[in-house]
Amino acid sequence: MKKPFIPLFLALLFPLFLSGCGKQYDYTAHISELRSDIFRAETDEFSVTLSCVSREYPYAADGVACPRSDVVEISLVPASAVDEVSVYFKTETGEQGGEMSFRNAFADYFFSESVSAFPQSTVSMRVIWGGETREVTATSVRTEETLKPDEALEKAITAEKERIERMTNGAFLGEFHVRLLRRDKNYYYVGIIDRDGETLSLLLDSISGEVLARRDTRV
């Protein structure tokens, strides 16, 4: 009668066995949101940013990572008011895009759409601006020195080793948000979310991985 419990026992024991054998735990499996690249272009009339985002669905900061889907998010900030704006970007299979929506909170126009693959290095964009077409090429903000997202996550995990260990009981009981940021230069945001909704937010240097700021909040 006790035999059915053996597979369950082995399943619980297996991650510990791998750890004992020196196999490193794969924390990247617990990333629920990832912004891996940012493309930017600027003219006298507007600045436009295309972000490559892989995000879980349904999206919830609940400490549980769900399967992700890939989308591009495009933000356009106008230098002066314009009635309607549409944006299109070239992909390997053609062109995607559509009409943008104005966001009062950010004072920008916004568009998002699912994609099968993210652009690399540069992306050609066509902006319909006040009935006229503008062609721009957006360039990635990443450089050869910029850490990869999994490297940035590794730096954050190392910096918060004790906290991560408390959240790991055979398996990691939490989720990560990893976002490349662009301000005066590149940064990484790493959010560590536990099952109780508490979030540790880290701001990392994008080259060294040094933690520049940290903040604890409860969702």
Side-chain angles (χ1 to χ4, degrees):
M1 296 296 293
K2 294 183 179 180
K3 289 184 178 180
F5 293 96
I6 293 177
L8 176 59
F9 173 75
L10 292 176
L12 294 173
L13 185 62
F14 189 62
L16 299 177
F17 173 76
L18 291 179
S19 177
C21 291
K23 183 177 177 62
Q24 188 174 2
Y25 189 87
D26 182 17
Y27 285 102
T28 63
H30 298 276
I31 298 176
S32 60
E33 183 184 27
L34 172 64
R35 184 191 295 151
S36 55
D37 208 346
I38 299 171
F39 295 78
R40 291 171 56 89
E42 187 171 355
T43 72
D44 292 337
E45 297 169 307
F46 57 81
S47 61
V48 60
T49 302
L50 183 150
S51 300
C52 301
V53 180
S54 182
R55 183 181 291 124
E56 69 175 359
Y57 183 83
Y59 183 69
D62 55 5
V64 180
C66 295
R68 305 192 311 253
S69 58
D70 295 339
V71 300
V72 297
E73 297 181 342
I74 303 176
S75 168
L76 184 146
V77 178
S80 59
V82 64
D83 292 334
E84 294 182 3
V85 179
S86 296
V87 63
Y88 299 89
F89 57 97
K90 291 185 179 180
T91 68
E92 295 179 352
T93 57
E95 190 178 62
Q96 292 181 237
E99 185 175 349
M100 307 186 79
S101 300
F102 187 74
R103 301 189 297 183
N104 287 306
F106 299 94
D108 70 345
Y109 290 89
F110 182 77
F111 177 84
S112 66
E113 189 170 20
S114 298
V115 294
S116 58
F118 290 133
Q120 303 291 325
S121 301
T122 63
V123 56
S124 298
M125 306 176 70
R126 181 167 60 91
V127 177
I128 309 300
W129 177 265
E132 299 181 356
T133 299
R134 303 287 189 267
E135 303 277 354
V136 297
T137 299
T139 303
S140 171
V141 302
R142 298 185 62 88
T143 68
E144 293 182 356
E145 296 179 312
T146 305
L147 292 173
K148 296 177 181 178
D150 58 335
E151 294 172 333
L153 178 59
E154 183 179 353
K155 295 287 187 180
I157 290 171
T158 299
E160 298 294 332
K161 181 180 179 181
E162 291 184 3
R163 190 186 190 109
I164 296 298
E165 287 179 348
R166 291 198 304 269
M167 296 173 64
T168 306
N169 183 17
F172 179 67
L173 303 178
E175 65 178 318
F176 299 103
H177 294 173
V178 182
R179 304 172 190 147
L180 180 65
L181 305 176
R182 178 68 183 184
R183 299 294 184 265
D184 56 321
K185 61 178 185 177
N186 292 342
Y187 299 91
Y188 267 105
Y189 166 85
V190 177
I192 305 172
I193 303 101
D194 66 20
R195 297 291 173 86
D196 295 324
E198 187 172 348
T199 300
L200 174 62
S201 299
L202 303 176
L203 181 68
L204 275 62
D205 183 278
S206 68
I207 297 176
S208 68
E210 177 188 358
V211 176
L212 304 175
R214 68 191 304 275
R215 183 180 64 178
D216 259 316
T217 58
R218 185 166 293 278
V219 178

